[in-house]
Amino acid sequence: MATACHRNTVLNLMRGAAHRMAITDGDRHFTRVGTLVHKRIFCTKTTIGFRQQMDHTVPPKEFKWTPGNMINENFKLGDNGHVCVVLNRQIQVPAHVVKSLWKNAAVRCAVDGGTNHWREFLLGQGAPKRPKGAPATGGPFEPLDVITGDFDSITEETVDFFKSTPKIHTPDQDATDFTKAITVLQPVMAQRKIHDVIVFHDTSGRLDQVMANLNTLYKAQKDNCNVFLLSGDSITWLLRPGKHTIQVPLDLVKTQRWCSLMPVGSMAHNVTTTGLKWNLYHTQMEFGGMVSTSNTYSTEFVQVETDANLIWSMGAYDFEEKLRETSK
């Protein structure tokens, strides 16, 4: 009964974001319902404002990041847990990491075709196949709370497998299914004071999808919403204007794993770093000018002070080595 009440509360909050949810009853058809409304958020600062912030006339906003909690320590972000989201790519994150993050999640969501990959992952981990029409079971995995998307990628077989899982149809074609899923989830996150979203994704060689995922990081940015892209070899998230301290797992420092800072979308007029092998000092960053790729660490604590949004990406704890060993 408690589980049912919890799920109803979650879905009622999501309903407000998506206008109305569509839950299939086995007919395998989805009705177009509702349209998500997206606010366009523009953030502008004057050159004087930049100088004041970087000269500390105005104290910069401070952020602290502990990516090790995602990949090799607690497998949990935030006091109230995190949200797990599965996108439409094969899950290449090591299974033990996925299991732990999924177990510790407060809300679990699959996005359209990502549901196919979640089903494949469950079956690959020994989830029992079931008779057609029977309730889905994830074995040792907690069940999905919701499936979202325009449903142009999810297969009929997957729809039947997750027949009892609530589905919210988001047909708006002016936003990606990933962006719309974040919009649906944000009311639940606000109500339950959840600030972090961990997204299972891989690039798959599609540059347009890579850029669309980065665009969602920009569109989702809020004080109470941090979105992390976790793939089989990296963690990526957005650094907003301010002073950031990133505690890097010691294994990554010792093995000199890669990291990067990318000024996607606009120029960063003033970027200063410490703790990297190749630091930046009041550097102007932009495409066509300076970008920082294939960098690495000199200490466990990296500091980045920036006056504009930057994409931070880093190699994750020995994921690549594990994948190479598995493929042999």
Side-chain angles (χ1 to χ4, degrees):
M1 180 63 72
T3 301
C5 291
H6 162 71
R7 175 162 291 188
N8 287 337
T9 300
V10 169
L11 291 173
N12 286 337
L13 287 164
M14 291 179 178
R15 188 180 295 115
H19 282 192
R20 184 169 135 230
M21 66 181 179
I23 303 178
T24 63
D25 58 2
D27 60 0
R28 301 178 184 172
H29 296 288
F30 299 93
T31 305
R32 294 180 65 87
V33 294
T35 301
L36 292 178
V37 178
H38 302 281
K39 295 181 179 178
R40 296 185 181 275
I41 302 173
F42 298 93
C43 180
T44 60
K45 292 184 178 179
T46 64
T47 303
I48 294 175
F50 289 143
R51 290 172 179 166
Q52 286 179 333
Q53 179 171 312
M54 300 312 289
D55 292 340
H56 295 174
T57 304
V58 177
K61 186 167 185 178
E62 296 194 10
F63 304 83
K64 297 186 184 300
W65 308 98
T66 53
N69 287 341
M70 267 185 285
I71 57 176
N72 64 354
E73 293 178 11
N74 301 322
F75 298 106
K76 180 181 178 180
L77 294 179
D79 295 334
N80 298 316
H82 53 265
V83 175
C84 276
V85 173
V86 185
L87 296 188
N88 189 14
R89 286 295 151 215
Q90 182 181 4
I91 298 172
Q92 297 189 36
V93 178
H96 76 280
V97 176
V98 177
K99 287 179 181 178
S100 297
L101 290 173
W102 195 263
K103 177 182 178 181
N104 293 329
V107 179
R108 304 164 183 87
C109 171
V111 179
D112 202 353
T115 320
N116 301 329
H117 293 288
W118 184 243
R119 174 178 171 271
E120 291 169 3
F121 181 84
L122 291 178
L123 294 175
Q125 294 300 308
K129 294 185 178 181
R130 58 179 183 76
K132 188 173 181 179
T137 174
F141 290 86
E142 294 294 325
L144 277 168
D145 291 301
V146 67
I147 299 169
T148 70
D150 59 13
F151 302 132
D152 64 348
S153 301
I154 190 170
T155 66
E156 292 187 356
E157 190 175 16
T158 299
V159 171
D160 183 68
F161 186 87
F162 293 106
K163 184 177 181 180
S164 61
T165 302
K167 301 171 183 65
I168 296 180
H169 188 212
T170 56
D172 181 7
Q173 295 301 302
D174 290 332
T176 65
D177 283 337
F178 178 21
T179 298
K180 291 180 287 186
I182 297 296
T183 302
V184 168
L185 291 165
Q186 281 179 336
V188 180
M189 295 174 62
Q191 191 269 341
R192 300 182 61 181
K193 295 181 172 57
I194 302 168
H195 298 159
D196 302 299
V197 181
I198 299 174
V199 182
F200 299 130
H201 89 116
D202 265 275
T203 58
S204 75
R206 285 279 302 273
L207 179 62
D208 59 332
Q209 292 183 344
V210 172
M211 298 307 293
N213 289 344
L214 296 181
N215 187 49
T216 298
L217 297 187
Y218 280 73
K219 296 179 77 170
Q221 63 172 309
K222 289 184 178 180
D223 286 342
N224 60 352
C225 184
N226 305 311
V227 181
F228 302 89
L229 303 178
L230 180 60
S231 74
D233 56 11
S234 66
I235 308 170
T236 303
W237 70 92
L238 183 73
L239 303 185
R240 293 184 288 159
K243 186 174 183 178
H244 300 261
T245 300
I246 304 168
Q247 184 175 357
V248 181
L250 283 173
D251 286 28
L252 302 188
V253 179
K254 292 176 182 177
T255 56
Q256 292 289 275
R257 299 300 297 281
W258 65 270
C259 62
S260 64
L261 278 170
M262 305 293 290
V264 177
S266 62
M267 178 189 296
H269 294 80
N270 199 335
V271 180
T272 296
T273 68
T274 61
L276 298 177
K277 184 174 182 179
W278 295 283
N279 282 305
L280 304 170
Y281 303 96
H282 301 290
T283 302
Q284 179 174 294
M285 300 184 72
E286 64 177 327
F287 278 95
M290 169 63 74
V291 298
S292 178
T293 59
S294 299
N295 212 326
T296 189
Y297 313 104
S298 62
T299 67
E300 178 185 2
F301 292 93
V302 171
Q303 288 195 335
V304 179
E305 192 165 354
T306 177
D307 58 12
N309 290 325
L310 295 173
I311 292 291
W312 168 267
S313 191
M314 60 190 292
Y317 175 64
D318 77 355
F319 282 13
E320 287 130 318
E321 284 75 10
K322 288 182 180 179
L323 289 171
R324 280 195 284 267
E325 290 172 5
T326 302
S327 63
K328 289 179 181 179

